[in-house]
Amino acid sequence: MEFKTLLFEHQEGIATITINRPDKLNALNKDVIEELGNAIDMLVENKEIRSAIITGAGAKAFVAGADISEFTTMGIAEGSDLARRGQTLVFDKIENCPKPIVAAVNGFALGGGCELAMSCHFRIAAENAKFGQPEVNLGLIPGYGGTQRLTALVGKGKAMEWCMTSHLVDANEALQMGLVNHVTTAESLIERTKEILNIINSKAPLALAKVIACVNKAGSADGFETEVRLFGECFATADMKEGVTAFLEKRKATFVGA
Ligand code: COA
């Protein structure tokens, strides 16, 4: 599939999706949203791909937000539709993707950019990363899940303050607050992210998908019950039998994703 606004490549089981509008700081316009949704479908369907990185083109930005130039003619219905389409087509799809997706955050991750990074399963930041939900500067609020995911990641007090003040969170504060897992130099960002994904890619794919499903249920009424059910389902997989047998035979397991 050809993309206008993304670069999509995969190597050794890892897909890299690069949002490619550097002259607009990779702002999320309608095309990017639609193509990102298609790219996630592609990586789920492609059996050679085990996991993915989402990043932004250029040295300055991961994504500087939704494309503000599209807002000028919108009313209530269009605004709700924009948020709903984005959440369904992209943000929820990333969060619930059965293959691990990690945000490699290079530079500004503002508004929809911060929300995109937060919808990924976890985040690695370059030292120049800056996170924020500055929508109130525009008379808006986050619309791609920011109020929900930021609260889940950093707690209610910080989420309230950051969304109310448009505070720009630098990489070290993001690390301290649990918004990102690691901080690295801009030059080694992709390499460091791939190192972590290579570890993940050596594990049983169906178990990874179940980890994602269970962790995403944390805090919900059926979180524990989901874990019980999916733990049980692991026993029906060839990979669970292989993993346990390999341990007992003191050898490295070979997982096939079945
Ligand atoms: N939507 C549309 N275009 C955007 C954009 C966005 N969210 N963010 C940046 N751009 C565009 C700018 O309009 C500019 O385009 P131009 O060269 O055609 O004028 C280009 O990207 C470069 O941005 P610029 O503002 O000149 O860079 P800067 O280094 O001075 O500032 C930011 C960088 C990130 C601080 C600033 O671009 C910004 O505040 N962006 C908006 C962030 C935001 O409010 N996001 C939430 C949206 S809901």
Side-chain angles (χ1 to χ4, degrees):
M1 187 184 290
E2 284 291 308
F3 294 110
K4 278 193 300 189
T5 63
L6 306 178
L7 305 174
F8 187 107
E9 51 109 19
H10 65 94
Q11 254 179 2
E12 294 166 13
I14 302 174
T16 304
I17 300 170
T18 307
I19 298 155
N20 191 26
R21 299 182 73 210
D23 53 327
K24 296 290 176 190
L25 305 188
N26 304 317
L28 303 175
N29 64 10
K30 286 200 174 84
D31 289 342
V32 180
I33 292 293
E34 194 177 318
E35 292 193 343
L36 265 176
N38 293 337
I40 304 306
D41 292 340
M42 256 174 73
L43 76 89
V44 171
E45 283 157 22
N46 188 328
K47 288 195 165 43
E48 286 173 22
I49 297 173
R50 308 277 291 255
S51 59
I53 299 171
I54 297 182
T55 193
K60 202 165 163 184
F62 173 71
V63 166
D67 193 319
I68 298 168
S69 68
E70 290 183 343
F71 292 172
T72 52
T73 56
M74 287 171 43
I76 293 177
E78 292 86 355
S80 310
D81 188 55
L82 181 95
R84 197 179 310 284
R85 267 178 68 77
Q87 290 197 22
T88 311
L89 279 183
V90 176
F91 295 77
D92 292 350
K93 203 185 267 184
I94 292 172
E95 183 168 68
N96 295 315
C97 179
K99 297 183 182 180
I101 303 181
V102 177
V105 181
N106 53 316
F108 290 111
L110 303 181
C114 187
E115 291 167 305
L116 181 65
M118 291 192 296
S119 71
C120 292
H121 297 131
F122 59 90
R123 290 141 292 283
I124 316 291
E127 286 160 339
N128 69 335
K130 290 236 173 354
F131 298 82
Q133 297 292 159
E135 289 87 350
V136 291
N137 291 336
L138 305 169
L140 283 166
I141 65 167
Y144 287 147
T147 59
Q148 307 304 297
R149 292 195 180 98
L150 187 61
T151 304
L153 282 164
V154 304
K156 188 171 172 181
K158 286 289 177 195
M160 284 283 192
E161 183 186 339
W162 292 355
C163 290
M164 288 181 184
T165 60
S166 302
H167 171 58
L168 276 192
V169 181
D170 68 23
N172 284 326
E173 189 178 8
L175 181 66
Q176 206 186 345
M177 292 306 303
L179 187 53
V180 305
N181 290 18
H182 304 277
V183 176
T184 179
T185 61
E187 298 72 42
S188 53
L189 177 64
I190 297 297
E191 190 189 322
R192 178 80 183 106
T193 309
K194 284 187 173 173
E195 263 171 33
I196 296 169
L197 284 176
N198 280 327
I199 296 171
I200 293 173
N201 286 356
S202 71
K203 315 299 180 194
L206 294 178
L208 294 173
K210 291 181 190 344
V211 167
I212 292 168
C214 288
V215 175
N216 281 343
K217 287 275 185 183
S220 74
D222 58 345
F224 285 94
E225 195 44 46
T226 302
E227 188 179 284
V228 167
R229 183 167 54 79
L230 296 190
F231 178 80
E233 287 181 9
C234 292
F235 287 78
T237 66
D239 280 348
M240 179 269 175
K241 289 180 178 61
E242 163 65 6
V244 170
T245 306
F247 175 80
L248 295 174
E249 292 176 355
K250 302 192 187 303
R251 63 173 172 82
K252 197 170 175 303
T254 305
F255 295 120
V256 295

